[in-house]
Amino acid sequence: AKSKTSNTTALSSFVPYRNSVLTYLLKDSLGGNSVTFMLACINPSVESFEETLSTLKYADSAKRMVNAVVVNESVKHGRRTGEVAKLRMEVDRLNREKEEMLQIMTEVIESTPARGGG
């Protein structure tokens, strides 16, 4: 069986914010590109003072955490999903080109005299 000391040492190497199992469990929500809602459940009784104070301190420290937003890009089959942005730009370019061609065709059709059929 592991001792409490070795367990604490093992956890401290994984927790980026502080030495807390709760922070470790919430690391993707607290440190990722997400909006996190935290509800601190507290008890007004004197018997729960220490636990309530600890909960409020944790909620306050979590509230003050500020992270830089990073664009998520994953590698899939050797390609970056950043290629999606390039492809969207190409689609936009092709749509503009299509609109220009349609405008030219419309102008040509409108300038062509109507044929009399009979």
Side-chain angles (χ1 to χ4, degrees):
K2 287 186 176 182
S3 70
K4 187 174 183 179
T5 307
S6 66
N7 221 4
T8 305
T9 306
L11 284 176
S12 66
S13 63
F14 294 109
V15 182
Y17 296 111
R18 67 179 218 180
N19 207 7
S20 166
V21 175
L22 182 58
T23 304
Y24 177 73
L25 294 173
L26 295 173
K27 71 179 179 180
D28 291 333
S29 296
L30 295 174
N33 293 337
S34 60
V35 176
T36 304
F37 178 81
M38 180 176 285
L39 178 66
C41 297
I42 58 174
N43 187 341
S45 71
V46 174
E47 293 83 18
S48 301
F49 176 77
E50 287 183 32
E51 187 174 344
T52 296
L53 185 60
S54 174
T55 300
L56 290 173
K57 284 180 180 179
Y58 182 81
D60 184 58
S61 68
K63 177 180 75 172
R64 288 184 278 119
M65 289 180 192
V66 177
N67 296 299
V69 177
V70 178
V71 175
N72 292 327
E73 286 191 320
S74 62
V75 177
K76 192 172 189 177
H77 304 293
R79 295 183 180 179
R80 291 199 167 270
T81 57
E83 290 181 18
V84 171
K86 293 177 188 173
L87 293 172
R88 285 185 179 150
M89 288 172 51
E90 185 175 354
V91 167
D92 290 341
R93 182 186 60 79
L94 292 171
N95 280 331
R96 286 192 305 273
E97 193 174 307
K98 178 187 79 168
E99 290 299 321
E100 290 172 7
M101 295 301 275
L102 286 173
Q103 185 177 2
I104 291 170
M105 288 174 57
T106 302
E107 290 172 2
V108 169
I109 290 171
E110 289 175 351
S111 66
T112 306
R115 293 188 184 183

